Amino acid sequence: MSHWIESFTRQFGIGVPLSLIRIVVKQYLSDLADGVPARIKDMPTGQPNLVRLREMGLLPGTRVHIVRRNVLGDPLEVAVRGSFLSVRKSDASQIEVELT
Amino acid sequence: MNSKRPDEMSTRDLTIALVGNPNAGKTTIFNALTGLRQKVGNYPGITVERKAGTFFSQHGEKLTLIDLPGTYSLSARSPDEAVTRDALMSHSAQLDHPDLVILVLDASNLARHLYLATQVIELRMPCILALNMMDVARNAGIVIDNEKLESLLGVPVVLMDASRNQGMTELKIGISRVLNQGNPAKEYESPQHMALPSQIGTLLDQRIPEAEKLGLCQSGNGILRLLYLVSHHDSEHFGFNPEQLSFVRQVKNELTALEAGWEDRLVSNRYDWIETIVEKTVRRGEVISDSAVTTDRIDRWLLHPVLGWMILAGMLFSMFFLIFSFAQIPMGMIESLMSWLRDQVVNLMPAGDLRDLLTDGVLSGMEGIVIFLPQILILFFFISIMEETGYMARVAFLMDRLMGRVGLNGKSFVPLLSSYACAVPGVMAARTIENPKDRLITILVAPLASCSARLPVYLLMIAAMVPEEQMSIWVKVGLMFLMYFLGTFGAFAFAWIFRHFLAKGQASPMLLELPPYRMPRWKSVGLFLWERAQIFIRRAGTIILGLTILMWAATTWPKFPESQSGNPPTDAQKLEYSLAGRLGKIIEPVVSPLGYDWKIGIGLLTSFAAREVFVSTMAVIYSVEESDDEAITRKQVRDKLAMETRDGTPDGPPLYTPLVCLGIMVFYVFAMQCLSTVAVVKRETGGWKWPIFQIVYMTATAYVMALLVFQIGRALGFS
């Protein structure tokens, strides 16, 4: 999302820096480029799928990165607490992250 | 009650349960302790059946050990996870109630594994913490203060490396210590339990009397049991009666009304508490372990966007190639062994009904089944290697998106792949799928995968189509491929239909752990194959053999009356006069639009018990016709089929034309003809509704497809 906005603004010669966009636009786990370390900022509550992800250690504050993704971008292989989980994009797109 | 001494126990042996996350090494410890070797899988949730064994403690007491299904949490998500939850919360008089729990944890990933461990410790059962995979942890520079951990959690901690047999003695000493000294976990009071938000605790407390009345919990750990029952996400809770189910739903709604994110809160609280423990006991090195590096290196190839798929396709191709080529060698050996046996019987016994029963009934029937044991074993060998190494989880990762398109998920791939060997283990493997709708759809379409029982039918029909010399191997392989494609396509098409009309909604997300790769343990692969072979032979020896004998009797009696004219009756007359002949005549109108005669009709009828019976039925029918002949081999059955004509005269039009053979094959692709599968589907879905639905939809499809093949083919001028 942020990258998209950055390139979009650059087309109009404005060139808003990426770091500035990131402050305004929320970043989600599914947006992360492979291998970029991040920290989970927030995730919605009351959703059964996400409860199991929490139980497996994906919680606000946890450090994560995406190892790789399947062709078509789904599912994602996520590294968390020393193990590797396959997470669907639809779940990952609800998990808000911040870069570390 | 918790500090039972062996001398107080007269009714049963003390029971010890292994509990832990998938891939924590439970099964390895189970094997090491009991010596009763069994499957060590790498795919999450491979331990879906109850596995028990016995071993002796340091003092020589006999103990029962149960390997409970792996789970990440007591809030169960699937039937196999519920098995673990229910065993742990069962009443102390019940069969599987453990007197001691061995919690198996992966030391290299302590925080996540402590999640389940602290849940179990809170149940106040006698526990031992087995920190497994210490070698991996050390390799990654992780140092664990086990004495501190012991004092913080109040349970004995044993350091282990089960795959190298290290720590077994310490574990046994720990077991004896806890069994004899009672339950140290009694003194443990977790802040987590106290931090159960007061409103939630109060509400659960209020509901306990009703829960007890409904038989959902017993006194003791009532509040926690109720909590875990309510947080079970399976909307069709297994084993609940309607009142219990509506009660559980009601409490869940009340909790959600109280606080929408109550479950998330509980998880966060628990992890907060675990992190304080980990901070005090674990020193993390920032080293990446060797196995993680190797795994990543392998995954770069196996999960590569392009190469990954090519490797998977290559694997499946070589698997089927081996099944159809290499298996011929042992199959030939079985064939000659059986015909040798038959010769022995013929030489030793006087001619008569008994000899005919042995040669034409028992031996012909057995051969038709045992002959494709090699093919089944090759298939199971591949599946077992994929599970052992951890590749199976990668296959699920690769397939997830594709399966999602038709309304399945990546975890459906394993049940479907297993179903190419046999639908029975395939249907059982569906237990690892969390979402009940996904599980149901997987079970419903699994028998459409062309299982190995269809192979002999395909092989016989392909052989009967045209004389062997006139068909190149590529046409045969192509036909075979077409049948497998049809079955696979049918499974996907019906999954899509069911997803849209029967179990509406999105396919559930797949949560899957990708475990580190490891070398397969050849011993457990071998034992797994041995187990499968036994199951298969037992099946051949019971159901199928029984049916074959029944078939033989039905084709022999009642005997054609001795004619007055003195001409001995022809074989065809004898068969027509027999019970089977009469039955076949009755159903002939139903099957004649498909181009079949009454003999094929009998074959179809008998193979509703098991598909492969078709071949042995044909063997029995045609060897009965020429009962003067001895030693009927498969080849001869094939030749007889080729000689068979539509009107029964030697010069009439052939009955087994390529079109009819193709029609029979297509029928077998879709038809539900397997008693064992029906039985297992009934067990797994909890009633007759779904197995009956399955029989109806599959057999109707089979009939329509075979009708289309024959009628369209004939209209186009094929014969």
Side-chain angles (χ1 to χ4, degrees), chain A residues 45-46 48-49 52-57 59 68 70-72 74-75 77 81 83-86 88 91, chain B residues 73 75 77 81 109 112 115 264 268 271 275 296 299 309 397-398 400 409 508-512 514:
Chain A
T45 57
N49 301 338
R52 183 35 74 92
L53 276 180
R54 281 171 191 260
E55 288 182 319
M56 292 173 88
L59 295 149
R68 58 174 64 79
N70 196 1
V71 229
L72 311 165
D74 193 15
E77 183 182 342
R81 296 176 194 261
S83 56
F84 300 92
L85 306 179
S86 166
R88 278 219 178 140
D91 288 327
Chain B
S73 161
S75 305
R77 284 298 205 91
E81 292 183 359
N109 191 1
R112 200 193 74 202
Y115 186 84
D264 305 272
S268 299
Y271 264 105
E275 254 144 40
D296 187 57
D299 271 340
W309 287 94
F397 178 81
L398 282 176
D400 187 53
N409 74 37
S508 73
M510 179 191 59
L511 280 175
L512 188 74
L514 301 172

Side-chain angles (χ1 to χ4, degrees), chain B residues 311-323 325 378 382:
Chain B
I311 293 169
L312 175 62
M315 262 249 343
L316 295 178
F317 180 82
S318 45
M319 179 175 89
F320 284 113
F321 182 77
L322 276 180
I323 286 174
S325 63
I378 291 174
F382 270 84

